[in-house]
Amino acid sequence: VGMALLDRAGNFVRVNPAFEAMMGRSAAELQGTNFLTYTHPDDRRMGVEAGMCLLRGEVDRFQLDGRWVRRDGDIAWARLSVGLAGDDHLVAQVQDITEEQRAKERLRASHGYYAALLNQSTDALVVVDHNGVLRWASPAAERLFGYAANSKAGEVFTSLVHEDDLDRLLRAFHHLLESPGTTDSVEIRVATADGRGYRHAEVVATNRLDDPDIGGIVANVRDVTDRVDAAGRLEWQAMHDSLTGLANRALLLDRLAHAMERSKRSDDHTALLFLDLDRFKLVNDTMGHDVGDRLLIEVAERLVQAARVGDTVARLGGDEFVVLAEGLADTADVEIVAERIRASLATPVRLPEGDVTVSASIGVAFDTDHRPETLLREADTALYRAKERGKNRYELYDESLRLEAQHRLSTEQWVRRSLDNDAVVVHYQPILELSTGRIVAAEALVRLLGPDGRLHLPGTFLSVAEDTGLVVALGAQVIEFATSQLARWRRELGAHAPAQISVNVAARQLSSPQLTEVLDHAVRRAGIEPSSIILEYTESTVISADRSTARIVDALHEAGYRLAVDDFGTGYSSLAYLKRFPVSVVKLDRHFVSGLGVSEEDLAIVKAVLTLGRALGLTTIAEGVETPEQRDLLIELGCDRVQGFLYAPALSPQDFSAMVRRQIRERVTS
Ligand code: C2E
Ligand code: CA
Ligand code: CA
């Protein structure tokens, strides 16, 4: 301890060696000089005032911490304890507290440093005690959640957390309390100060209860709202249709699986309503995709309105929708829903482009075996029947449909087998020139040879072949047969062979790019020219043709193939189509022909078509001619060609040749 004796004016009288060491100055140097000389300027005033108090007798001792300036210029901290020594002197005991002060300064500096860091941090630090009472929060907490600095201190943290997350949070908290040093993390929603919502927070907390400097649980709280939102959006997108916001197939299947599970354990039932808009493609093609999209959005909204609360409405793509209805007592319940849906679509949709009326065909399946795939398939089958039976209606999947579905499945297998086992047979119906009665062409008509040796007509298998796409392979075989048959007739019959052969082309074939290849390959192999092939496609195929189909049709025409519109008059009868497509033959549907001499209306139609055909320079063929009266009327009306039972049904190649030979003989003898 340094000791110094000073006079009343503050001049040093005597000092001990410890004091000398502290001041870095010798006793001789200090003697007679005033203590203020060595006092740090900022501390001089404090020193003088304290000394005055002492001298005036207001205190008999004072203590203060102050700074000396040492000889070497360093600042030294001293703790002075000063008292009176007699009337004329003061005695100061001086303790060097420089080290202590430096340590404090360092600490202060480092506090500032950490405070600044905390302030910078985007994560908030929160300290709670073992009761869950908030003790302290870093400034970031205010930025994240809006609570003014430590305004929530003293409250239990549970008041700030979303109730659905509390259980999880409390479990984590109790886990933390079990032992010091434990860390746990949990994602929770924290209420914002404005009371309007929650932010998603990732909390990583560590038990520091036994750390004397902290004595609490320290939680690092990070705002992950953006990440959760983005993840939520992605999740939402994965499960919903982006156009309508309805559930998509994935979500539907998920809900369906759950519904089936539930209905297995309860008395109520689940039903699936499979919807397909009628003639949506026509709207899309004629009014544009934009209108189509808006129509789908409107339909989606109406379906949601018509469905019951809790039902799932999904869009499977295109114009296919599904309503999953749960908790039904019996089929009557689901019929009510189906009717309501149909009714909801009845009001025309108002669009800037004009009103559009939509209708839907609905297939309904009611759960029986609790398998989601079954329900979907059955609803689809019922939908198919609704379409077949005239659209804008619903059909319930029932036993007859189950049998029909089974039948279609076995038919599909039969067609497949027939393709593999050379059981495809083609017969040819003669087409005659009306003015001369000569066979000028043949229509190739496909049959399947059954295991029983009987020939089966297209009516028994064609629609299945079309639906399954098997018609593409089937059609390719027919083209092969027909072209090589024509070549063979030419060899056998010479100039009497039919000049052309007609082949029916299904819509599926026409939209398949293979068709051109198959045809080119067939005519090359048979050594015949494309112009001797007439491709017959129906009016409805042409109407529903999209751009790429139209391109294929154009390419076929370019390549020299002749195109015929089959069953003309049965579809939309828009004669405009005849001009839009490179058609050279028009075939009058047999229903109008059969009406000749019976129905005035049919006569008028036949007349109109033949007149138009002539005007457009087309070859006209009347099919299904069965009576001489029909023939005579057709001659009168100027039809070019005929085919029908009056002349011959479809014949085997041999019978066809025989008929041609008979004609030759008859002509020679007559
Ligand atoms: P379609 O193109 O209208 O063919 C004419 C159908 O009418 C043939 O029936 C034919 O046997 C029948 N028919 C011919 N003359 C008469 C008649 O005087 N009175 C009546 N009532 N019917 C007559 P088929 O062979 O049963 O073929 C039915 C349909 O199957 C065809 O109708 C055609 O659309 C389709 N089809 C036949 N072969 C093929 C093929 O190879 N490919 C494709 N895609 N479709 C084919
Ligand atoms: Ca035909
Ligand atoms: Ca026809």
Side-chain angles (χ1 to χ4, degrees):
V1 178
M3 300 281 285
L5 186 68
L6 300 97
D7 62 19
R8 285 182 71 99
N11 299 319
F12 289 109
V13 179
R14 253 194 10 237
V15 300
N16 74 349
F19 190 79
E20 288 181 282
M22 263 179 237
M23 298 291 284
R25 300 172 197 271
S26 67
E29 186 187 348
L30 291 169
Q31 187 112 42
T33 60
N34 197 281
F35 80 96
L36 288 175
T37 318
Y38 314 108
T39 303
H40 190 283
D42 293 348
D43 293 346
R44 280 180 191 155
R45 188 188 167 93
M46 173 180 72
V48 171
E49 278 175 3
M52 297 296 283
C53 287
L54 193 65
L55 292 173
R56 283 200 298 264
E58 289 163 15
V59 292
D60 51 358
R61 196 157 196 91
F62 71 83
Q63 211 172 29
L64 57 82
D65 293 347
R67 286 162 288 179
W68 297 121
V69 182
R70 285 161 53 99
R71 185 187 188 89
D72 52 20
D74 278 0
I75 305 289
W77 277 89
R79 176 160 298 151
L80 304 177
S81 180
V82 184
L84 286 170
D87 283 344
D88 295 328
H89 290 93
L90 307 168
V91 160
Q93 286 181 22
V94 189
Q95 201 184 332
D96 190 340
I97 57 165
T98 306
E99 268 318 303
E100 194 180 310
Q101 286 295 339
R102 295 238 166 93
K104 268 192 189 156
E105 261 166 32
R106 276 197 299 273
L107 197 63
R108 260 201 299 275
S110 68
H111 267 144
Y113 177 70
Y114 289 117
L117 272 187
L118 273 179
N119 209 3
Q120 274 295 309
S121 169
T122 48
D123 292 3
L125 270 185
V126 176
V127 179
V128 299
D129 68 14
H130 64 283
N131 288 317
V133 174
L134 289 160
R135 289 298 173 207
W136 180 84
S138 72
E142 179 173 0
R143 276 200 307 275
L144 296 184
F145 309 111
Y147 299 106
N150 284 314
S151 62
K152 287 286 163 184
E155 286 187 30
V156 180
F157 66 73
T158 52
S159 64
L160 303 176
V161 175
H162 194 289
E163 56 175 343
D164 292 349
D165 298 339
L166 264 184
D167 270 358
R168 247 169 337 112
L169 183 60
L170 287 176
R171 263 202 307 280
F173 185 68
H174 288 126
H175 172 229
L176 279 177
L177 287 181
E178 279 166 17
S179 52
T182 310
T183 295
D184 204 347
S185 68
V186 60
E187 223 174 273
I188 54 166
R189 279 159 291 178
V190 178
T192 54
D194 58 15
R196 271 197 251 139
Y198 291 88
R199 309 279 305 168
H200 290 271
E202 178 191 81
V203 180
V204 180
T206 306
N207 180 338
R208 294 271 177 247
L209 284 167
D210 67 347
D211 181 334
D213 290 337
I214 299 172
I217 292 191
V218 183
N220 185 85
V221 182
R222 168 169 300 180
D223 187 327
V224 292
T225 307
D226 290 346
R227 190 190 77 198
V228 171
D229 284 354
R233 261 198 307 281
L234 277 180
E235 197 177 322
W236 194 88
Q237 280 166 1
M239 288 295 180
H240 291 81
D241 169 47
S242 58
L243 178 68
T244 60
L246 294 179
N248 64 9
R249 183 184 290 272
L251 184 54
L252 174 74
L253 290 178
D254 186 56
R255 297 255 173 92
L256 184 56
H258 281 116
M260 303 261 81
E261 273 308 310
R262 264 196 300 278
S263 60
K264 214 185 276 184
R265 283 182 266 108
S266 75
D267 286 341
D268 47 55
H269 295 273
T270 301
L272 205 74
L273 297 92
F274 207 135
L275 272 93
D276 187 295
L277 300 185
D278 303 325
R279 283 182 280 280
F280 176 72
K281 190 170 171 350
L282 198 65
V283 173
N284 227 7
D285 287 352
T286 55
M287 302 183 78
H289 287 262
D290 207 39
V291 174
D293 281 357
R294 271 178 291 147
L295 199 61
L296 290 173
I297 292 168
E298 174 68 22
V299 167
E301 272 166 22
R302 292 190 187 185
L303 291 180
V304 171
Q305 291 297 319
R308 300 160 323 149
V309 183
D311 289 353
T312 299
V313 181
R315 176 172 174 239
L316 299 192
D319 58 347
E320 286 184 351
F321 295 87
V322 166
V323 177
L324 171 67
E326 296 182 59
L328 303 163
D330 52 34
T331 51
D333 275 4
V334 69
E335 292 191 58
I336 293 171
V337 180
E339 234 352 284
R340 212 171 38 226
I341 288 174
R342 250 175 35 77
S344 80
L345 295 178
T347 355
V349 178
R350 288 249 128 93
L351 293 175
E353 292 80 0
D355 288 4
V356 183
T357 307
V358 280
S359 66
S361 300
I362 308 173
V364 183
F366 206 66
D367 62 345
T368 43
D369 75 347
H370 304 297
R371 267 195 310 231
E373 321 84 66
T374 314
L375 205 61
L376 258 175
R377 201 187 51 236
E378 291 178 352
D380 193 21
T381 306
L383 168 64
Y384 191 87
R385 171 170 286 188
K387 288 263 177 207
E388 251 178 7
R389 292 195 170 169
K391 305 181 173 163
N392 190 16
R393 56 184 292 136
Y394 70 88
E395 289 288 338
L396 210 64
Y397 187 84
D398 57 13
E399 187 57 20
S400 70
L401 267 171
R402 197 179 61 78
L403 291 174
E404 192 183 303
Q406 250 171 24
H407 178 69
R408 294 184 76 82
L409 198 66
S410 61
T411 304
E412 179 185 342
Q413 285 157 356
W414 171 44
V415 174
R416 250 181 237 289
R417 268 200 312 276
S418 302
L419 282 167
D420 293 343
N421 303 339
D422 296 328
V424 177
V425 173
V426 179
H427 276 192
Y428 301 89
Q429 184 172 40
I431 298 174
L432 295 87
E433 195 166 52
L434 202 45
S435 56
T436 61
R438 292 176 58 160
I439 297 172
V440 289
E443 176 173 5
L445 294 161
V446 71
R447 277 96 182 85
L448 293 187
L449 185 61
D452 51 0
R454 283 192 16 233
L455 285 181
H456 297 267
L457 294 177
T460 58
F461 58 84
L462 202 64
S463 76
V464 171
E466 279 173 350
D467 293 345
T468 56
L470 285 170
V471 76
V472 175
L474 191 68
Q477 289 205 7
V478 173
I479 289 167
E480 281 292 331
F481 278 117
T483 48
S484 53
Q485 186 57 51
L486 184 63
R488 201 169 303 132
W489 277 330
R490 284 186 183 175
R491 287 196 298 276
E492 284 175 21
L493 303 168
H496 299 287
Q500 288 169 315
I501 199 147
S502 277
V503 177
N504 293 283
V505 178
R508 282 289 268 271
Q509 279 174 277
L510 202 57
S511 58
S512 131
Q514 281 168 23
L515 183 62
T516 325
E517 274 172 49
V518 169
L519 280 165
D520 290 348
H521 177 258
V523 293
R524 226 176 303 125
R525 216 172 63 160
I528 56 176
E529 50 307 319
S531 61
S532 51
I533 307 286
I534 300 176
L535 302 172
E536 296 190 4
Y537 48 88
T538 61
E539 211 180 344
S540 52
T541 305
V542 179
I543 286 168
S544 55
D546 52 25
R547 247 176 250 286
S548 69
T549 307
R551 264 200 297 277
I552 293 174
V553 171
D554 282 337
L556 290 170
H557 173 72
E558 287 291 309
Y561 298 100
R562 295 288 146 81
L563 303 173
V565 184
D566 204 355
D567 303 344
F568 190 78
T570 53
Y572 285 79
S573 301
S574 170
L575 302 171
Y577 283 106
L578 291 184
K579 280 187 75 176
R580 263 207 355 222
F581 285 88
V583 175
S584 42
V585 178
V586 55
K587 297 190 76 172
L588 194 54
D589 189 70
R590 62 178 169 278
H591 293 104
F592 302 113
V593 175
S594 70
L596 281 180
V598 182
S599 146
E600 281 299 314
E601 204 180 318
D602 284 354
L603 177 71
I605 291 173
V606 171
K607 216 185 247 177
V609 172
L610 292 178
T611 309
L612 180 97
R614 215 180 2 258
L616 293 173
L618 306 175
T619 302
T620 50
I621 303 180
E623 53 179 29
V625 181
E626 295 180 348
T627 68
E629 296 79 56
Q630 291 167 353
R631 176 196 57 198
D632 294 344
L633 270 171
L634 287 165
I635 291 175
E636 203 177 297
L637 295 172
C639 183
D640 297 320
R641 298 176 176 184
V642 282
Q643 63 184 103
F645 294 163
L646 177 64
Y647 307 97
L651 304 168
S652 69
Q654 299 75 21
D655 290 349
F656 193 97
S657 300
M659 183 175 170
V660 173
R661 290 211 174 86
R662 203 163 51 242
Q663 271 203 343
I664 299 169
R665 273 199 306 279
E666 277 164 11
R667 216 167 292 129
V668 170
T669 53
S670 67

